[in-house]
Amino acid sequence: MTTDPINRKGLGPRFWERKPLTKMNQREWEALCDGCGKCCLNKLEDEDTGEVALTCVACRLLDDETCRCTQYDIRHQFVPECIVMKPNNIDDHAYWLPQTCAYRLLWEGKPLYEWHPLISGTSDSVHAAGMSVQGRTVSEFETPLEEWEDHIIEEPS
């Protein structure tokens, strides 16, 4: 069992079912992250259709074993284009978030999955359910951009 880097203790029971995303405090907002690592995968967006394809090409800062950013607090120094999800920008970014992402699910009015750490009580449940990218990524440094299409993956739901 790994130590959860997100402090989920002491939050209101099932707060996400009673509180809109825009009314959550910072701790509640951060607790929604399930730690799957999918948001740190590079995506390809079709310019004509707007369809987003997920690849297994990981951001240079993603730790493939923990599914966490190795430089979370200072990631913009290394990856300036990394988007910080916030209640005030979710409307602009929810479309590219993983289909199983709590932020996207709640934004769409859907419930969280049983494997989500807020429900299961453990951060390992996302890995046990096969919903994380643990051990499944390739490096963006070793994968030329023109080969990213060869690494498109179907997202489990």
Side-chain angles (χ1 to χ4, degrees):
M1 185 174 209
T2 58
T3 303
D4 190 349
I6 298 173
N7 180 3
R8 301 178 206 275
K9 296 193 185 333
L11 296 170
R14 300 182 82 90
F15 67 87
W16 62 92
E17 294 177 342
R18 317 184 299 285
K19 205 174 215 186
L21 290 170
T22 56
K23 300 291 184 193
M24 290 184 187
N25 64 40
Q26 184 67 27
R27 223 171 123 237
E28 291 167 331
W29 180 263
E30 290 289 327
L32 292 177
C33 176
D34 60 33
C36 71
K38 290 185 222 169
C39 61
C40 298
L41 297 177
N42 286 291
K43 293 137 192 88
L44 297 173
E45 185 172 353
D46 185 301
E47 290 180 17
D48 297 327
T49 67
E51 185 177 330
V52 177
L54 196 60
T55 74
C56 63
V57 181
C59 168
R60 67 197 81 164
L61 300 179
L62 181 70
D63 179 325
D64 184 69
E65 286 305 307
T66 64
C67 298
R68 303 292 179 168
C69 180
T70 59
Q71 301 293 329
Y72 186 73
D73 292 333
I74 58 170
R75 65 192 181 279
H76 290 104
Q77 292 178 24
F78 304 98
V79 185
E81 64 275 13
C82 181
I83 296 171
V84 177
M85 292 304 304
K86 297 178 180 177
N88 66 358
N89 70 6
I90 191 149
D91 289 344
D92 296 330
H93 300 296
Y95 77 96
W96 63 259
L97 289 172
Q99 295 169 17
T100 57
C101 175
Y103 300 108
R104 181 173 179 168
L105 289 169
L106 295 176
W107 181 77
E108 292 175 339
K110 296 177 181 175
L112 298 184
Y113 290 98
E114 293 300 313
W115 48 259
H116 192 286
L118 284 169
I119 296 175
S120 70
T122 173
S123 61
D124 290 326
S125 57
V126 66
H127 309 304
M131 293 296 141
S132 76
V133 298
Q134 190 174 54
R136 299 192 227 175
T137 66
V138 296
S139 166
E140 70 181 355
F141 286 130
E142 298 171 11
T143 310
L145 183 59
E146 58 271 11
E147 292 179 16
W148 285 14
E149 281 189 31
D150 298 336
H151 294 281
I152 291 174
I153 57 174
E154 291 296 318
E155 187 180 353
S157 54

